[in-house]
Amino acid sequence: MAVAKPLAPFPPRNFLARHRQDELDALFATLPAPRKNELQGDYQGTLLGISGLSSLPGVIKSGLYRLLASWLNPWQGKHFDASNGANLWGLGTLQGAWGQYRIEDRQDSDALALDYDVEGNPALLRPILGEVRYFQDTLYLARMRYRTRRGTRTLLYFTLQELSLIHI
């Protein structure tokens, strides 16, 4: 279960969707990391800050993010269980978990790491590195990074909120 941490007051969640990736990078650098065992169970995910969309006109970008927050996007969030996890996928009654990761506290980062370089994942997923930090209360800001020989690049940002705390 997530533990609420008192942080400096931040604006509401929709604040995040209105910012470019470089602004999210700067915000992310200021946020504290959760401990490895604090994320347990299922978390709803919301995509934002996708690389390449920052240059689009606001109305188009806003429409794309609304579409990604709808039932048309099969990615629903993440599951955390001790030191491992998986992405949650589903459309209608078709539900499942795919894309496994190892949860790590890393020496080289102040974020909680989600390392996809695990046995069972296809080669395309193995270079992915997720990073998670607190945003406010039980809402986390996370990013997906891709590792290559030339370095690591942030592809997108997303939020995570524990499903048991979401009022439907």
Side-chain angles (χ1 to χ4, degrees), residues 34 40 50 58 68 72 74 78 87 96 98 119 143 150 164-165:
Q40 296 290 319
I50 299 172
L68 288 171
L72 294 172
K78 294 190 177 292
N87 286 288
W98 185 75
E119 189 175 327
R143 63 183 176 186
R150 295 170 58 182
S164 66
L165 300 175

Side-chain angles (χ1 to χ4, degrees), residues 26-130:
L27 173 63
F28 192 81
T30 69
L31 300 175
R35 289 189 308 263
K36 182 177 174 179
N37 61 351
E38 290 181 23
L39 288 127
Q40 296 290 319
D42 295 341
Y43 288 74
Q44 179 180 353
T46 303
L47 296 173
L48 53 99
I50 299 172
S51 182
L53 294 187
S54 292
S55 60
L56 292 175
V59 68
I60 294 173
K61 184 170 67 171
S62 176
L64 286 172
Y65 284 127
R66 274 196 303 275
L67 185 65
L68 288 171
S70 77
W71 65 271
L72 294 172
N73 179 2
W75 181 72
Q76 296 179 344
K78 294 190 177 292
H79 174 78
F80 295 87
D81 185 15
S83 59
N84 298 298
N87 286 288
L88 302 174
W89 299 89
L91 283 174
T93 59
L94 298 173
Q95 304 288 316
W98 185 75
Q100 312 298 313
Y101 49 84
R102 185 175 51 251
I103 303 166
E104 303 175 335
D105 289 315
R106 290 216 158 164
Q107 300 289 332
D108 60 343
S109 172
D110 289 331
L112 184 66
L114 312 178
D115 192 342
Y116 285 73
D117 189 10
V118 297
E119 189 175 327
N121 277 345
L124 181 65
L125 293 185
R126 287 180 172 238
I128 294 174
L129 177 66

